């Protein structure tokens, strides 16, 4: 069975600080990896995804993530956060025959202080 | 264009009652997903439709839960004999084709409270 672990439950940063949110997954085959974000009062929306090719993926709003197969990781990064990045971030994985059946981590709440 | 919509936004019911939750996906999306999100946790997969058929219902917790998508568009999640443990936000998502690489587009969710 696939699983996702997000180690940081709540991260608090000041504006302009750099961000890295951890995501580790457990799955034996080819994986597709996603980061979703939920801003306060809004729906879950996609930040970025990886399914093949360059393991460094760039998404919206200056976010990027790196797929490191040997570490089963897909960490999310942003060099300089803004107050508007305050949100909950979810890592998700699917793969193999489980097309569409995504497994989500428990999320990381990011609070950015102005 | 219009996104995924879900109704009602909030539902309060009593233990033992029957509830129906509705999802209206993005027009043209063939795949539709139901998830359940409890407080402090990520979305938990329930069921996935490709067209009218349930392609994967392995996440439904027990036979009190059932979902339909009779015309390949709107879907209804049905919960019989509700229990307090069913209280959660029920999320619906749709995607263009159901491929594993598709982006899933989420609705606002229905918050179900079972008293």
């Amino acid at each position: 069975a696939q699983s996702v672990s997000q180690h940081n439950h709540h991260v608090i940063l000041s504006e302009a600080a750099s961000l890295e949110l951890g995501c580790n997954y457990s799955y034996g085959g080819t994986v597709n990896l996603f980061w979703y974000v939920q801003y306060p009062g809004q729906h879950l929306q996609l930040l970025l995804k990886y399914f093949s090719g360059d393991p460094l993926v760039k998404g919206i709003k200056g976010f990027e993530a790196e797929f490191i197969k040997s570490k089963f990781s897909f960490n999310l990064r942003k060099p300089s956060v803004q107050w508007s990045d305050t949100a909950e971030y979810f890592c998700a994985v699917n793969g193999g025959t489980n097309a569409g059946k995504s497994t989500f981590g428990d999320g990381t709440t990011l609070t950015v202080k102005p | 264009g219009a996104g995924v919509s879900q109704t009602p936004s909030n539902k309060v019911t009593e233990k033992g009652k029957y509830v129906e939750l509705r999802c209206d996906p993005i027009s043209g999306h063939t795949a539709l997903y139901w998830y359940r999100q409890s407080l402090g946790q990520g979305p938990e997969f329930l069921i996935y439709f490709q067209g009218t058929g349930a392609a994967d219902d392995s996440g439904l917790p027990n036979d009190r839960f059932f979902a339909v998508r009779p015309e390949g568009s709107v879907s209804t999640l049905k919960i019989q004999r509700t229990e307090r443990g069913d209280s959660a936000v029920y999320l619906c998502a749709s995607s263009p084709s159901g491929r594993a690489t598709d982006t899933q587009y989420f609705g606002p969710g229905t918050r179900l409270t079972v008293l």
Side-chain angles (χ1 to χ4, degrees):
Chain A
Q2 55 200 29
S3 66
V4 176
S5 178
Q6 293 182 243
H7 307 293
N8 312 104
H9 297 294
H10 195 176
V11 172
I12 302 173
L13 296 172
S14 297
E15 274 195 314
S18 65
L19 170 72
E20 181 160 2
L21 301 183
C23 172
N24 286 91
Y25 66 90
S26 171
Y27 185 74
T30 302
V31 292
N32 305 299
L33 294 152
F34 305 79
W35 276 99
Y36 285 88
V37 62
Q38 187 166 24
Y39 297 104
Q42 296 188 25
H43 312 175
L44 270 169
Q45 60 183 281
L46 183 74
L47 261 184
L48 49 78
K49 62 182 176 181
Y50 170 82
F51 50 89
S52 67
D54 188 344
L56 183 62
V57 180
K58 295 193 184 299
I60 61 170
K61 304 188 180 187
F63 285 91
E64 65 179 31
E66 186 174 13
F67 169 53
I68 303 180
K69 189 174 180 180
S70 60
K71 294 185 177 180
F72 297 91
S73 72
F74 190 56
N75 292 354
L76 182 71
R77 300 194 294 246
K78 185 171 184 179
S80 176
V81 294
Q82 300 173 313
W83 175 79
S84 58
D85 294 325
T86 294
E88 191 157 18
Y89 294 81
F90 293 92
C91 181
V93 62
N94 68 33
T97 57
N98 294 326
K101 177 184 176 179
S102 294
T103 299
F104 283 75
D106 284 340
T108 297
T109 301
L110 171 66
T111 301
V112 179
K113 296 181 176 178
Chain B
V4 177
S5 62
Q6 294 185 246
T7 55
S9 55
N10 277 286
K11 177 71 177 177
V12 181
T13 191
E14 294 179 342
K15 181 175 177 294
K17 299 289 188 184
Y18 168 83
V19 296
E20 290 190 351
L21 311 179
R22 175 188 166 111
C23 172
D24 216 323
I26 293 172
S27 178
H29 281 193
T30 62
L32 184 147
Y33 314 81
W34 283 100
Y35 293 87
R36 177 170 70 174
Q37 187 174 17
S38 300
L39 195 62
Q41 298 183 9
E44 174 193 10
F45 171 83
L46 295 176
I47 186 170
Y48 149 54
F49 287 90
Q50 184 63 273
T52 60
D56 186 339
D57 65 357
S58 60
L60 294 177
N62 52 58
D63 61 5
R64 295 186 297 106
F65 288 74
F66 189 71
V68 295
R69 195 186 185 201
E71 296 177 359
S73 178
V74 170
S75 176
T76 305
L77 178 65
K78 308 180 181 197
I79 310 174
Q80 297 178 323
R81 304 183 304 281
T82 52
E83 299 177 357
R84 291 196 180 89
D86 298 335
S87 296
V89 176
Y90 288 81
L91 295 170
C92 176
S94 68
S95 75
S97 67
R99 283 193 295 265
T101 54
D102 273 3
T103 298
Q104 294 184 20
Y105 296 84
F106 283 82
T110 293
R111 183 176 298 278
L112 175 65
T113 304
V114 182
L115 302 176

